[in-house]
Amino acid sequence: MNVLSRVGASVLLIFLLVVGAGCSIGSPFSDKPYKETQFLMDTIIEITAYGNGNEAGVKAAFAEFKRINELTNRFDESSQVSKINQAAGKEKVQVDPDVITMLKLARSRSEQLNGALDVSVGALTELWSVGHKGEFVPSDSEIKALLPLVNFALIEIDDKANTVFLPKPGMRIDLGAVAKGYADRKAIDTLKAHGIKSALVNAGGDVRIIGKRPDGQAWRIGVQDPRDSEGIAAKLALADWDVLETSGDYQRFFIKDGVRYSHIIDPHTGYQPQGVASVTIVAKAENNVDILSTAIFVMGVEKGQELLKQYPGTEAIFITTDGKKIITPGLEGKIEL
């Protein structure tokens, strides 16, 4: 199978589909929704909002996505992330406070998860460049040569001067596992600032909502089958949660000699995790569990389930590469598989 194109892979990211988002007569939000779709951050982003000022709110929310993308896009040499990488081993780089916030969030999560998520994995993701190098599989020696550059603890972050420094030449940061979810949260904050009380933001699988649907019902979400781009593996209502976050091996990948190679890299080994096809995290926004799905994808089902015990009220749907669906106890009776 040929490597997926960037656009093709990104279309696959829309694996969380709104189910039955209708509007009933007499609803407090009975006016028509404003809905807009844009291709940003290497994925398709869709925002739907109801209420007065919804169009202005949606456009302002998209402006936040664009702003965060301009800061973090490692494929853009003018982005602040690229400038940090270019200055590795040379000098500190002054950055926007949002970049500092994302890096500190990622460092905190890395400490909690024993490095299962590590934004300093950029040298490895650059080596693999899944979606950009065809069916390229690096050698063991190439991977091992870069592993010493992967260590989140080495990143020097000065939140007073707003500077970032990578002390080793060749170090690279990759905020791909962080930026989209962060931008999603900023978009929700922007919508709320515009007075929006009913909305859904779907950033290629990072889903956040405001309130209920216009008919008073909870938003219902379908989770895509990771081996069927048109199939839904599970459905659930966001009655008890307002955040979904999914990581999967079908977003950007290629298959060579019968082996699937995805864009998600285990920072400890330099290779793709095996056994899990997708992980969906369901939580309340106040639980602050951003960027958890990628780490749990790397950790696998057993370690991931054990880890989630540290985050009360946070649930998960695991779909393994052999098609098994495993849910955490809090989803019992609340999900349709």
Side-chain angles (χ1 to χ4, degrees), residues 17 56 61 67 104 111 113 130 172 196 214 285 303 313:
L17 309 172
R67 186 176 67 84
K104 290 178 69 176
E111 292 169 348
L113 306 177
V130 174
R172 298 286 186 271
I196 302 301
K303 290 182 179 179

Side-chain angles (χ1 to χ4, degrees), residues 65-326:
F65 274 107
K66 291 176 182 176
R67 186 176 67 84
I68 299 301
N69 182 56
E70 289 171 356
L71 294 174
T72 62
N73 183 3
R74 66 188 179 91
F75 299 105
D76 179 357
E77 292 186 356
S78 66
S79 76
Q80 292 188 0
V81 162
S82 290
K83 290 178 179 178
I84 293 170
N85 292 339
Q86 292 160 12
K90 300 176 184 176
E91 59 186 359
K92 299 178 181 180
V93 176
Q94 192 159 37
V95 296
D96 187 276
D98 278 311
V99 175
I100 297 292
T101 300
M102 282 183 271
L103 285 171
K104 290 178 69 176
L105 170 63
R107 183 172 63 185
S108 173
R109 192 69 79 225
S110 295
E111 292 169 348
Q112 295 167 8
L113 306 177
N114 193 30
L117 174 92
D118 193 327
V119 295
S120 68
V121 76
L124 287 168
T125 56
E126 187 176 283
L127 172 66
W128 280 93
S129 287
V130 174
H132 301 272
K133 286 187 178 180
E135 297 179 354
F136 170 74
V137 178
S139 67
D140 287 342
S141 59
E142 288 176 308
I143 291 171
K144 288 178 181 177
L146 296 180
L147 286 175
L149 299 177
V150 182
N151 185 348
F152 67 89
L154 295 178
I155 303 174
E156 298 178 16
I157 304 170
D158 186 336
D159 55 5
K160 293 183 179 179
N162 285 337
T163 62
V164 180
F165 179 56
L166 303 180
K168 289 187 176 184
M171 279 190 77
R172 298 286 186 271
I173 59 173
D174 181 347
L175 286 176
V178 182
K180 186 154 57 70
Y182 183 80
D184 209 349
R185 175 151 49 94
K186 298 287 282 188
I188 285 289
D189 291 343
T190 300
L191 289 168
K192 289 179 177 178
H194 279 74
I196 302 301
K197 294 181 172 57
S198 177
L200 182 143
V201 179
N202 179 3
D206 283 314
V207 174
R208 288 176 182 261
I209 63 169
I210 299 175
K212 296 182 177 180
R213 283 171 30 190
D215 60 6
Q217 299 298 311
W219 295 94
R220 286 182 55 79
I221 303 296
V223 180
Q224 185 186 317
D225 185 328
R227 294 296 180 264
D228 179 0
S229 61
E230 297 183 357
I232 294 178
K235 297 178 184 178
L236 72 160
L238 296 185
D240 301 315
W241 310 280
D242 49 21
V243 175
L244 282 94
E245 180 184 277
T246 302
S247 294
D249 68 359
Y250 57 102
Q251 299 172 14
R252 290 192 300 277
F253 72 97
F254 64 89
I255 296 175
K256 184 176 182 180
D257 298 329
V259 179
R260 178 182 292 255
Y261 298 93
S262 80
H263 71 294
I264 300 176
I265 305 297
D266 183 339
H268 297 119
T269 67
Y271 287 93
Q272 290 77 4
Q274 301 297 318
V276 179
S278 73
V279 174
T280 297
I281 299 296
V282 189
K284 293 292 291 183
E286 59 263 30
N287 288 7
N288 294 318
V289 293
D290 305 59
I291 64 176
L292 200 58
S293 64
T294 299
I296 290 182
F297 184 95
V298 169
M299 297 172 76
V301 176
E302 292 184 5
K303 290 182 179 179
Q305 286 179 306
E306 190 64 29
L307 172 77
L308 283 173
K309 294 178 181 178
Q310 301 176 27
Y311 298 89
T314 300
E315 308 298 336
I317 306 162
F318 297 87
I319 302 179
T320 64
T321 51
D322 59 2
K324 293 180 182 177
K325 300 169 187 175
I326 302 163

